[in-house]
Structure formats: C-alpha cells, structure tokens
C-alpha cells in the first residue's frame, strides 16, 4: 500500500496526471488521500488505480434518440477508484459520501427494487460482461468523484465506465475495448438501473477526447475520435449550473421524443433520421395538421442539428476553430428557437437557462460561443470562453448563480483508463 502512495507523491504518475488533469499537485493529493481511505476501510493490500471521466455534449442537442449524430467530449472531472482483487466472489465498493455496496457475483439478475442505485450499475456491469463472454471476479474498491450530480456531466455513465475498466483490468488483461465497455454500460443502465438512456454519455466517457458518434445504427454506432486542444486556441470550456428543479420536467423531456415520433410516423418511419428532409419540407402543412406546430419546429431543429454535429467534428479535425464556434452558436439558437428546451412551458417564470444565455451573450459580446447543455429546461449552459474574458465571464455568472455554479473544464484526451506508471 505504502509503495503506491510513495509512487504517487514521488512523481511517478505525474506524466499521466498532467495529461488527465493539468494540475499535478491536485491529482497527487487526491489520489494519495483515496489510497489512505482505502487502507482505512480494507487494510493494506496491493492496489491499482482507475479513472473514468464525465462528459460534455458539444454538438447534437437531442439528436441521439432520433439515431442522429453527436459530438461529445470527456472532461477533466472524473470518478477514481483504488482497487484490489479478491477471491471470495464478492464485490464491495465504498463511494465517498455513500454507504458501501456489497454484492455476490453469483447473483447477477436484474432487480427492480434496485433501480436507481449504484449497486444496480455494479451488478449490471458484471452481468453484461459475463453475457458477452468476458471474465469477472471479486474486488474491493474505494471511489471518489468530482463529477457532481446535476452538473449535466453524467456521473452515472462515468461510474459505469469505471467499473467496466476495473473488470477489464483485473480479469481481462485490459483487453475489453472502450467501445465495448460503453455498450455494456448502456445496457447496465437500461436493464439494471431502470433508466432508458442512449449511448452518448457512456461512449464519450469511455472513448475520451472529442468524439463524433453516428447513431444511425444504434447497436453499432460509428465512432470518430478527434484530436484537438482548446488550449492551442486560448479558450476554456465553461459549464454553468443555473439550477432549477428537474423533478417536474419528465413530461417536457418526454414530449420531445413523442413529438419527433409523430413526425417520423407521418412518413412511415420510426425516427427522424430515416425521414427524407426534402419530403418533410414539401409537406409541412400536412405534418403540422397531424403533429402540431411545435413538432414541426422540433423536426426542423433535428434535421439542421444533425448536420451541425457533423460539421463541428470536421471543423475541429481541420483546425477551423472559428467555424466551429459559429456553428455552436447556431446550435444554441436552434435549441432556443426551434427545439424549445430552454425553459418549461409549464413554469415560464423560472428561466434560469434563458437568463444564463443572456448573460453569456452580453459578456462574450460576439466572441466565443454558448448554448444550452444537455437535456435542457433547467440545469446547465455551456460556453467556449476566450481566456482573456474568463474572469469577467465567471464574475458575471457567479453574481447571479453563485460560485459553486461555475465549472471551468478541459477536454480530457483519455477516456476510462487504468492509471499506470
């Protein structure tokens, strides 16, 4: 135990820490503290270190559930684990701030009573690993996360990917691919956790960096990783949590998929990706009579947003950063005007996202780019902020939403991984 802590503090992991976090001293302190917590719980053992990042949606707002294209990125907020294998057939995971989860790897059937719990994700990852023919085994782990819930950065996907990397590293010689881990993680969340999520969150966390994903065939998405460093263009990625109550927004989220389905079914298709855009525009009068005007507007958003996500990926790959920023702005305007997911029509007096976007527009004054982030209706906005405006931008947001609302992030080039010397 002491040897790995000595390795951390003596700088043997510094090169990896610099790539993942930038701040080496912070990483040293965080990992060494995690090792101490593990030892206090489970005693001295030979341990290994694992990490899985949160993610941010960069392009493709509400396109994935219509089998469209997205551009996502892993960020330098993550969940980390100190882990030791065991031979008793049990898994024990103590996550900071939560009770220990304990399960037997012989009991891997989904349990509806476990929906929404971390234990369901652990059981699901083990069960789906085994179904796919991979090895599983017992372990003890201490985890700690700075992927804060409610930040729109997907803490559940990061946790799933973390467990997947632990199982791959301990029992499969690290051979399970990032794409396979993401697919298994989605099934774990769908079947065991009870959340019918898409694949974007898991794929972005697992693959790492800027990642273009085409969901035309959801079971076999096309993955295209883009190498691009925001620092080269002196910009920061900033997420602002504007608050708001997500509990009452279930119907708002559901209405988007319901209305998109009405449009696609008008053309005899299941999702908008399979609808011919030209046919749609030629028959808008017929569509609105069946599905309503908002459904038509949301379909317009999808057709354009799907193309924008592809363009953004290409622009980054070709180092056309200004073109990328312009399209991010277009995406934000489309989400507000056509998709209409910036505030809930059932509670128009609460418009934290709208206010955040207005402050961003005034502060950035034509520079950078900003947009709603993720599902919308409440929660977070995203901005690419020039470094010379960062302090002013954060001051403006902090004055309205509080200091804890601001997250200055980097795109992390590596997804779920074992931390090695």
């Amino acid at each position: 135990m002491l040897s790995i802590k000595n390795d951390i503090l003596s700088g043997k992991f510094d090169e990896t820490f610099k790539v993942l976090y930038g701040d080496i001293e912070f990483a040293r302190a965080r990992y060494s503290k995690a090792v101490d917590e593990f030892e206090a719980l489970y005693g001295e053992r030979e341990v290994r270190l694992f990490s899985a990042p949160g993610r941010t949606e960069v392009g493709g707002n509400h396109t994935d559930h219509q089998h469209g294209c997205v551009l996502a990125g892993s960020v330098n907020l993550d969940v980390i684990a100190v882990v030791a294998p065991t031979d008793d057939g049990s898994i024990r995971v103590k996550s900071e701030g939560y009770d220990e989860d304990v399960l037997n790897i012989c009991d891997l059937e989904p349990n509806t009573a476990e929906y929404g719990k971390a234990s369901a994700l652990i059981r699901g990852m083990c069960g789906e690993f085994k179904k796919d023919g991979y090895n599983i085994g017992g372990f003890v782990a201490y985890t700690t996360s700075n992927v804060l819930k409610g930040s729109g950065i997907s803490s559940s996907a990061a946790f799933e990917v973390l467990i997947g990397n632990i199982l791959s590293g301990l029992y499969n010689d690290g051979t399970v691919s990032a794409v396979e881990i993401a697919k298994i993680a989605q099934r774990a969340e769908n079947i065991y956790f009870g959340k019918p999520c898409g694949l974007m969150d898991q794929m972005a966390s697992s693959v790492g960096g800027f990642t273009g994903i085409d969901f035309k065939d959801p079971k076999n998405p096309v993955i295209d990783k883009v190498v691009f460093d925001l620092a080269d263009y002196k910009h920061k990625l900033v997420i602002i949590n504007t608050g708001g109550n997500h509990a009452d927004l279930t119907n708002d989220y559901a209405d988007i998929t319901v209305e998109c389905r009405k449009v696609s079914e008008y053309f005899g298709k299941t999702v908008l990706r399979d609808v011919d855009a030209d046919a749609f525009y030629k028959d808008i009068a017929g569509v609105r009579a069946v599905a309503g005007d908002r459904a038509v507007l949301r379909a317009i958003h999808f057709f354009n947003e799907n193309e924008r996500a592809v363009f953004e990926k290409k622009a980054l790959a070709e180092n056309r950063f200004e073109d990328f920023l312009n399209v991010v702005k277009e995406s934000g305007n489309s989400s507000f005007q056509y998709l209409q997911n910036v505030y809930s029509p059932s509670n128009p007096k609460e418009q934290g996202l709208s206010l955040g976007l207005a402050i961003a527009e005034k502060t950035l004054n034509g520079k950078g780019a900003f947009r709603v982030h993720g599902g919308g209706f409440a929660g977070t906005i995203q901005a690419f902020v020039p470094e010379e405006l960062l302090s002013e931008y954060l001051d403006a947001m902090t004055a309205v939403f509080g200091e804890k609302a601001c997250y200055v992030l980097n795109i992390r080039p590596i997804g779920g991984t074992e931390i090695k010397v």
Side-chain angles (χ1 to χ4, degrees):
M1 175 64 68
L2 293 176
S3 63
I4 198 166
K5 185 172 178 180
N6 288 337
D7 287 345
I8 292 169
L9 295 177
S10 66
K12 290 186 178 180
F13 291 95
D14 283 1
E15 186 174 339
T16 301
F17 287 161
K18 185 176 182 179
V19 171
L20 295 182
Y21 308 109
D23 189 337
I24 293 173
E25 291 303 321
F26 164 79
R28 283 185 182 181
R30 185 179 178 216
Y31 276 84
S32 62
K33 183 176 183 293
V35 171
D36 288 341
E37 295 290 344
F38 178 97
E39 184 174 359
L41 288 164
Y42 303 118
E44 288 195 19
R45 305 181 189 224
E46 289 295 321
V47 299
R48 293 160 70 171
L49 308 175
F50 293 84
S51 160
R55 70 95 184 104
T56 183
E57 172 201 280
V58 179
N61 194 216
H62 280 280
T63 53
D64 57 335
H65 55 73
Q66 296 303 304
H67 296 187
C69 298
V70 303
L71 178 64
S74 61
V75 298
N76 59 324
L77 299 180
D78 63 349
V79 53
I80 66 173
V82 181
V83 184
T86 62
D87 57 8
D88 61 1
S90 70
I91 291 176
R92 299 169 65 189
V93 178
K94 176 65 172 73
S95 297
E96 182 181 20
Y98 297 90
D99 293 336
E100 184 184 55
D101 291 300
V102 181
L103 62 91
N104 188 318
I105 62 172
C106 293
D107 179 15
L108 299 178
E109 291 300 313
N111 182 355
T112 56
E114 207 174 31
Y115 277 5
K117 298 179 180 179
S119 57
L121 297 177
I122 301 167
R123 195 182 310 278
M125 292 303 295
C126 290
E128 296 302 305
F129 253 68
K130 191 172 182 179
K131 286 180 184 177
D132 281 3
Y134 296 116
N135 300 320
I136 63 171
F139 60 85
V140 290
Y142 173 79
T143 81
T144 180
S145 174
N146 57 11
V147 185
L148 301 179
K149 290 187 175 181
S151 64
I153 307 176
S154 194
S155 56
S156 60
F159 185 76
E160 295 152 15
V161 170
L162 179 76
I163 299 299
N165 276 272
I166 291 170
L167 293 172
S168 177
L170 296 186
Y171 295 108
N172 296 275
D173 297 321
T175 59
V176 187
S177 73
V179 171
E180 284 304 311
I181 288 174
K183 290 179 179 179
I184 290 170
Q186 183 203 20
R187 297 203 303 270
E189 189 153 342
N190 291 172
I191 300 167
Y192 293 77
F193 193 72
K195 182 180 177 182
C197 67
L199 185 56
M200 180 183 73
D201 294 352
Q202 291 82 2
M203 197 65 74
S205 176
S206 193
V207 173
F210 282 105
T211 306
I213 313 171
D214 186 340
F215 290 111
K216 185 173 180 61
D217 178 1
K219 292 183 179 180
N220 297 286
V222 177
I223 311 300
D224 191 5
K225 186 168 180 174
V226 180
V227 178
F228 185 89
D229 190 348
L230 285 173
D232 291 342
Y233 292 84
K234 300 188 183 304
H235 276 66
K236 293 289 188 180
L237 170 64
V238 184
I239 301 292
I240 303 295
N241 187 354
T242 68
N245 183 3
H246 290 265
D248 298 327
L249 300 175
T250 302
N251 290 337
D252 292 312
Y253 296 129
D255 281 347
I256 293 177
T257 55
V258 168
E259 291 176 6
C260 288
R261 189 181 307 117
K262 285 183 179 179
V263 176
S264 61
E265 288 178 347
Y266 179 86
F267 293 95
K269 306 295 183 181
T270 303
V271 292
L272 288 174
R273 180 64 181 272
D274 295 331
V275 174
D276 181 82
D278 290 336
F280 163 80
Y281 281 110
K282 288 177 182 177
D283 198 8
I284 283 181
V287 177
R288 70 187 294 236
V290 171
D293 289 342
R294 189 171 67 173
V296 170
L297 292 169
R298 284 174 164 170
I300 290 172
H301 167 82
F302 170 81
F303 290 126
N304 293 327
E305 185 74 353
N306 200 51
E307 293 181 359
R308 277 189 288 264
V310 175
F311 181 93
E312 288 168 346
K313 179 190 71 174
K314 192 171 187 288
L316 289 181
E318 296 174 353
N319 293 307
R320 293 185 288 111
F321 189 54
E322 284 301 321
D323 290 343
F324 165 80
L325 292 176
N326 288 335
V327 176
V328 170
K329 295 174 191 175
E330 291 177 10
S331 171
N333 290 335
S334 181
S335 291
F336 206 147
Q337 186 174 358
Y338 299 118
L339 184 60
Q340 300 179 34
N341 68 331
V342 175
Y343 65 89
S344 172
S346 65
N347 186 17
K349 290 186 177 180
E350 183 179 297
Q351 294 198 36
L353 291 179
S354 306
L355 180 57
L357 293 169
I359 295 169
E361 183 176 29
K362 182 178 186 302
T363 307
L364 296 180
N365 193 27
K367 296 183 179 180
F370 54 92
R371 65 194 283 275
V372 64
H373 180 243
F377 298 109
T380 59
I381 65 169
Q382 173 195 82
F384 294 91
V385 181
E387 291 178 358
E388 72 269 17
L389 292 177
L390 181 61
S391 179
E392 180 183 351
Y393 182 84
L394 294 176
D395 287 346
M397 291 297 178
T398 297
V400 178
F401 302 111
E403 290 186 9
K404 293 183 178 180
C406 304
Y407 305 88
V408 181
L409 307 176
N410 292 318
I411 295 295
R412 162 173 155 164
I414 298 172
T417 189
E418 180 173 359
I419 308 296
K420 296 181 179 181
V421 175

